[in-house]
Amino acid sequence: MNKKLSIGLLMILFIFQGAFAVLGADNNKGINIKSKEFKAVASQFMCTCGCGQDHYACDMAGCKNTEAFKAELVDMMEKGMDKDEIREYYVKALGEEILTAPEKKGFSLAAWVLPFAAIGGAGTGIFFMIRKWVNKNAGRAEMVDDHQESDEVEEEILSSIIEEERKKYL
């Protein structure tokens, strides 16, 4: 009976240990560097070590910028700041260059849209220019065909005249 009691107590202890672990995780607000929430926040900022990746994906050996930045992001998230508030804070502090994607307003929007519009306009202009050249060359080909037909007609007339003259004298 003593064995059964000790096994029961151990099982109860394990159950309570799991419950305390869950409660401890809730006190930390569940902010983990591998969580989706953290990824959404960290991936909107470019790493400043020169790797060209965002802070979430930066894997440069010895990159101290990312480690400090991630710790700062976790602190901000634990204080209750959401993704947009953190973004605003860093844009004010470091400028728009820190963002992986430009804001969808003002000059940033124009700077991203205008090159594509210019390429589209240039492509349309080239299309119509080539179309005009093709039509012009098609007209020249018709003129050449007409010219060849008129040459053939003239040749027939000349050969018939020569033939008649030859019949007269021969």
Side-chain angles (χ1 to χ4, degrees):
M1 186 75 147
N2 210 5
K3 251 184 175 178
K4 288 183 181 179
L5 183 63
S6 61
I7 291 175
L9 287 175
L10 280 174
M11 288 178 70
I12 291 173
L13 182 66
F14 283 127
I15 291 172
F16 280 119
Q17 181 183 3
F20 288 130
V22 169
L23 288 175
D26 285 344
N27 288 338
N28 196 13
K29 294 184 182 179
I31 298 172
N32 184 359
I33 292 180
K34 303 291 183 188
S35 70
K36 290 181 182 179
E37 295 84 18
F38 182 79
K39 180 180 180 181
V41 172
S43 63
Q44 64 184 344
F45 301 110
M46 290 293 292
C47 184
T48 55
C49 71
C51 65
Q53 296 178 338
D54 59 55
H55 273 287
Y56 185 77
C58 180
D59 56 0
M60 292 276 292
C63 178
K64 294 187 184 351
N65 296 340
T66 297
E67 295 169 9
F69 195 82
K70 286 179 180 178
E72 195 172 321
L73 287 177
V74 168
D75 288 342
M76 289 177 159
M77 291 174 73
E78 285 177 351
K79 289 178 183 174
M81 293 177 75
D82 67 350
K83 180 181 173 182
D84 295 329
E85 291 173 336
I86 294 171
R87 180 183 177 112
E88 261 183 54
Y89 171 78
Y90 279 112
V91 168
K92 285 179 184 174
L94 301 173
E96 200 172 318
E97 296 83 24
I98 192 77
L99 298 177
T100 55
E103 295 186 26
K104 295 179 177 99
K105 61 182 178 183
F107 180 74
S108 297
L109 181 64
W112 280 86
V113 171
L114 286 178
F116 296 109
I119 289 170
T124 303
I126 289 171
F127 169 77
F128 284 115
M129 189 169 31
I130 290 173
R131 186 172 158 189
K132 184 178 177 181
W133 287 345
V134 167
N135 288 340
K136 189 183 280 187
N137 287 338
R140 285 185 183 162
E142 288 175 9
M143 289 175 57
V144 168
D145 288 342
D146 291 344
H147 186 64
Q148 287 176 347
E149 288 176 12
S150 65
D151 285 347
E152 290 174 5
V153 171
E154 287 178 11
E155 193 174 313
E156 276 184 40
I157 292 172
L158 284 174
S159 62
S160 66
I161 291 173
I162 292 172
E163 196 61 39
E164 285 179 17
E165 289 296 320
R166 200 166 46 174
K167 284 182 185 177
K168 274 190 199 175
Y169 297 104
L170 295 174

